[in-house]
Amino acid sequence: MRIIEKNSYEEMSELCAGIIGAQVLMKPDCVLGLATGSSPIGTYACLAEQCAKGLLDFSQVQTVNLDEYCGLPGDNPQSYRYFMDTQLFNKINIEKENTHLPDGCAADMQAECLRYEKLVAGLGVDLQLLGIGHNGHIGFNEPAEDFPVIVHSVKLAESTIQANSRLFDRVEDVPTQAVTMGIGTIMKAKKILLIAGPDKAEIVERAMRGAVTPQVPASVLQLHPDVTVILSKA
Ligand code: GLP
């Protein structure tokens, strides 16, 4: 595991975008695993800028996102589909049909989980970007008794609902369920890139240097052969 410390959010974002950009340059038809949250917003802005300058071409790239809230359609500004469209996809030359997220509004959620698991496995993720929750969650894999292996629907931890409520008008508006890649789905990615700000220093330390336990889901990354962690100190 490579751990790189940067002085600011901007520097972290530039390096992260540089690594993703290098992946796209080396393999123009690569599959990128993407994440939501405030951590990757700067990275997506850098990627959009490089694409606008003609330095990156996303026309053959496919993307798969980690997760989606249940019950929010893609045109709801709080949905992760909306986030991805507005923060990245609408600003780069990617084909919309090559951008994939789980459908949090599917009538048959079990069938949707299987569909998404097969889709991600079939595409094969070259580089997976991750943020981390304060409780160590990756995607929406919350602390649990076991590592959930495949795509599944999950009841969000109270702390996650509280943390994510900053983006909603009222805490009651935050969905209580989500659908997420499992830990096994994430671990199949060839390379993993995790970014985190200083507010995550404690949980990152536990995840990277503590015991590997489903109580700290990100700790499983210690078992992956190719993980880069970029931390910002401010
Ligand atoms: C959400 C997402 C995670 C993300 C986490 C941290 O719960 N499901 O994928 O990593 O938030 O978000 P932030 O980067 O805003 O701290």
Side-chain angles (χ1 to χ4, degrees):
M1 183 175 310
R2 288 201 308 154
I3 302 182
I4 303 169
E5 279 193 304
K6 287 289 171 188
N7 287 324
S8 66
Y9 179 80
E10 288 70 30
E11 284 183 23
M12 176 184 81
S13 303
E14 276 166 23
L15 178 60
C16 184
I19 294 172
I20 296 173
Q23 173 67 70
V24 173
L25 289 172
M26 282 192 301
K27 188 178 174 192
D29 60 348
C30 66
V31 179
L32 299 176
L34 298 178
T36 53
S38 22
S39 307
I41 289 177
T43 299
Y44 294 155
C46 290
L47 289 172
E49 203 181 304
Q50 288 174 31
C51 185
K53 285 184 184 158
L55 301 173
L56 286 178
D57 174 17
F58 289 87
S59 61
Q60 298 175 65
V61 171
Q62 303 246 7
T63 66
V64 286
N65 261 80
L66 285 168
D67 48 13
E68 178 60 282
Y69 286 121
C70 286
L72 299 186
D75 58 0
N76 183 311
Q78 307 294 354
S79 73
Y80 285 171
R81 161 54 78 181
Y82 190 94
F83 174 98
M84 290 308 303
D85 283 349
T86 50
Q87 297 293 335
L88 184 66
F89 300 150
N90 294 347
K91 299 178 179 171
I92 59 174
N93 67 330
I94 197 163
E95 302 290 339
K96 237 358 143 36
E97 62 266 28
N98 288 344
T99 67
H100 310 281
L101 281 91
D103 178 3
C105 292
D108 183 344
M109 199 45 81
Q110 219 172 339
E112 173 57 12
C113 291
L114 281 178
R115 178 197 73 84
Y116 200 65
E117 177 68 27
K118 278 191 193 154
L119 176 94
V120 177
L123 287 171
V125 176
D126 291 294
L127 175 62
Q128 175 69 56
L129 176 63
L130 296 177
I132 181 170
H134 285 104
N135 61 3
H137 75 221
I138 48 177
F140 270 132
N141 291 279
E142 300 283 24
E145 293 303 311
D146 302 294
F147 288 115
V149 179
I150 62 168
V151 176
H152 60 288
S153 61
V154 64
K155 188 175 173 335
L156 298 181
E158 194 48 43
S159 60
T160 300
I161 293 173
Q162 290 297 334
N164 292 2
S165 68
R166 70 187 193 279
L167 304 168
F168 290 76
D169 289 339
R170 303 173 315 158
V171 68
E172 301 82 65
D173 296 338
V174 185
T176 55
Q177 298 269 339
V179 48
T180 180
M181 285 188 196
I183 292 292
T185 328
I186 294 170
M187 290 290 279
K188 278 191 210 146
K190 293 188 191 116
K191 298 187 204 77
I192 292 182
L193 185 53
L194 185 143
I195 51 175
D199 57 316
K200 308 278 176 54
E202 202 184 313
I203 191 65
V204 169
E205 177 69 20
R206 271 181 75 197
M208 301 308 143
R209 305 205 202 277
V212 174
T213 163
Q215 294 299 331
V216 182
S219 65
V220 77
L221 299 175
Q222 293 179 42
L223 307 179
H224 191 283
D226 192 343
V227 178
T228 301
V229 179
I230 312 176
L231 304 171
S232 81
K233 288 194 235 169

